[in-house]
Amino acid sequence: MPAITTRRDGDVLIVTSDNPPVNALSADVRQGLAAAIAEAEGDPQVKAVVIAAAGRTFFAGADITEFGKPPREPGLPAVIDAIEASGKPVVAAIHGTALGGGLEVALGCHYRIAAASAKLGLPEVKLGLLPGAGGTQRLPRVVGVEPALAMIVTGDPIPAKKAAAIGLVDALVADDLLLAEAIAFARAVADKDAHPVASTRADRIAGADAATFAAFRKANARRLKGFEAPEACIQAVEAAVALPYAEGVAKERALFLKLMNGTQSRALRHLFFAERAAAKIDGLPADTQTLPIAKVGILGAGTMGGGIAMNFLTAGIPVTIIEREQAALDRGIAIIRKNYEASAAKGRMTAEAVEKAMGNLAGSLDYADLADCDLVIEAVFELMEIKKEVFGRLDAIVKQGAILATNTSYLDVDEIAAATSRPEAVIGLHFFSPANVMKLLEIVRGAKTAPAVLATCMGLARRIGKIAVVSGVCHGFIGNRMLSPRQREANALLMEGARPVDVDRVLLDFGFPMGPFQMADLAGLDIGWDPAKSNGETLRDRLCEAGLRGQKNGRGFYDYDASRNRTPSAEAEAIIADFAAKAGTEQRSISDEEILERLLYPMVNEGALILEEGIAQRASDIDIVWLNGYGWPAWTGGPMFWADTIGLDTVVAGLEKHAARMPALRVSELLKARAAKGETFNG
Ligand code: 3HC
Ligand code: NAI
């Protein structure tokens, strides 16, 4: 079956693409579209053309799997130019999503009709690219500069209704009538003398000036920091305004090719496929039966329990939350309400939605109220004895067939499972703080976790909008285990003479949103610190004894003013120097390069150990964890992809160079072997 077929409905030629799953514009689709337009041109019976797509969506863009390979003719820009140049009007009939090259095809059409549920967007920027088939030139001519900039630079799709409001769509129709309406529309316009041609329009871009672009750059500076593509997108739209169409297109092409061949786009494309790969589980058949989850129980209404509850409430799933004492329960529930009300105040949800979510929440002090839950997630204190005791109680109360999950950050899920008579029902669901916001969910597969339990949790993650990554059981799983060597080296660097601000700055420059010492100040230096037991033995003891608590009292590794601006704390630095002197550690000047290598190479090494031990299924899963759970900069592709780009031999050489200062480090055999053979993790 060819990807593109044509059929006649009277004097209208219907061109249908059928290239599952998302009608990507692969070479055969482009070829078929070009042939169909030629067919229409050559057939005097045809008065108008409709381009539609079969399956779940209109064209979702260029075929990303073709990127980085030798180009195949015809190119997409040429196909779109041919559509636009057609003497017979061409109508795009859009359902599902018209994305990237797909929307560019639609912009080449003379008219666009959309199903009410459709979405339209130019998400290329998320792949480190810009719309490279005329989109940056045609879209502003159709909708004006400001809406075009917003769509091209953020990459976020807009609903059909909004598209109609800004002039991107000519008519909105009910979903089930799309094709019939598109044919009728095509027939109605067929005899008009002239049809709108996006590339020749000038009315919408007239009057746009430098100030528009300057204001846009300023307003978006923070979210665009570090990424190359957004600035290139802005420059392409500037060209649309400043240059004749043909020159604007040439500029777009030059910028597109530069981005396509750059490391950032390679990294972001890697992440696109990595995110989809993470959903696939080795050894778990795709048709594994899942369990119904209609009611969720949560133990502990603290920092995590409350945030976890919100995920389910927002998705419309009833939650019962259990605490030890009424005061803790009341506090936890009040915080959930406060968070929802804050969202409502920002316009992110309606007052009714807040009440609906809260109406689905029940609080209790009695474990017996968890009996009929399909899933119970434990989020109590991080102590094995408590976890075991809690799971023993859950085992006695919760119905058979339910899933018993722990949100532990580090502890052995198999040991927790062994406290029950049904270890096959036990799994780790490791949410990240704030749990209602952070996208990542590490799903920890115990030695005995049943396939149905695992499959159910993967599906549930999707239902509550999380990106799930499967981890095996080990101390700290994928994410926190890799954080440990970074933290160890950050502390060691302080002892050796680096300032906290230097360590933080190196990571900020690399692209992290925060350095380890800023993070420590934010969390509070006294978390888990007991004044009664403090004896100045650790640096933390010394800092806390001196009254340094972090942001909460304005004094930590940094001093904070009333607006939380930070300046390095001379007091903290003096305590560190004194502590190092007493420990006999020689202080020296440490370069930024060494700081970066000491912090990040051991993380890559730990990632390699995690792969070697089979804790992570694939290197790209590790990248997804660090990107979505810990703010690793996306444009580097994550720790493992980043290591690939700088060369695994560089990482090994760096680890060897600093080996004497990192006695705790065990270099991964996998890393060494791949480096020696010139291989990569994501080969
Ligand atoms: N090319 C090739 N494969 C694609 C693809 C594309 N553009 N878009 C999706 N796929 C594949 C996915 O990899 C996945 O494959 P798998 O089943 O083997 O893992 C499959 O299609 C289904 O995708 P999803 O799991 O993402 O399905 P959803 O229904 O959740 O989402 C979607 C559908 C919204 C279309 C989403 O896939 C998406 O956002 N796709 C990318 C859209 C995009 O970025 N387009 C721009 C491409 S760049 C471009 O057009 C350049 C041009 O300007 C020249
Ligand atoms: P927290 O101290 O804020 O909350 C724990 C709550 O559990 C308290 O309100 C306490 O009263 C309650 N509790 C204790 N024993 C109980 C019992 N037997 N029955 C019912 N309630 C009980 O702790 P937090 O931060 O929410 O952590 C909970 C778990 O989540 C820990 O295992 C932690 O390691 C993990 N975690 C924490 C993250 C964080 O950033 N805070 C991130 C990811 C996981």
Side-chain angles (χ1 to χ4, degrees), residues 27 71 76 154 224 324 437 504 522 569 628 665:
L76 188 57
T154 66
L224 307 183
R324 297 177 301 172
V437 176
D504 286 345
L522 183 67
S569 159
N628 295 290
L665 191 88

Side-chain angles (χ1 to χ4, degrees), residues 377-410:
I377 304 173
E378 163 281 309
V380 305
F381 303 134
E382 181 78 346
L383 281 170
M384 183 53 95
E385 285 321 304
I386 299 186
K387 303 269 189 208
K388 280 185 177 169
E389 193 257 331
V390 161
F391 271 77
R393 283 172 74 183
L394 288 177
D395 189 28
I397 287 167
V398 183
K399 71 179 181 190
Q400 289 300 318
I403 299 174
L404 305 181
T406 171
N407 182 48
T408 179
S409 307
Y410 290 94

Side-chain angles (χ1 to χ4, degrees), residues 298-306 308 322-325 328-329 331 364-365 367 378-383 386-387 389-390 393 406-411 429-434 480 527:
I298 291 173
L299 271 178
T303 310
M304 294 308 290
I308 294 169
I322 305 283
E323 256 294 344
R324 297 177 301 172
E325 293 162 2
L329 184 61
R331 194 169 50 240
S364 169
L365 301 179
Y367 273 51
E378 163 281 309
V380 305
F381 303 134
E382 181 78 346
L383 281 170
I386 299 186
K387 303 269 189 208
E389 193 257 331
V390 161
R393 283 172 74 183
T406 171
N407 182 48
T408 179
S409 307
Y410 290 94
L411 301 175
L429 290 181
H430 183 214
F431 290 80
F432 287 70
S433 181
N480 282 342
I527 279 208

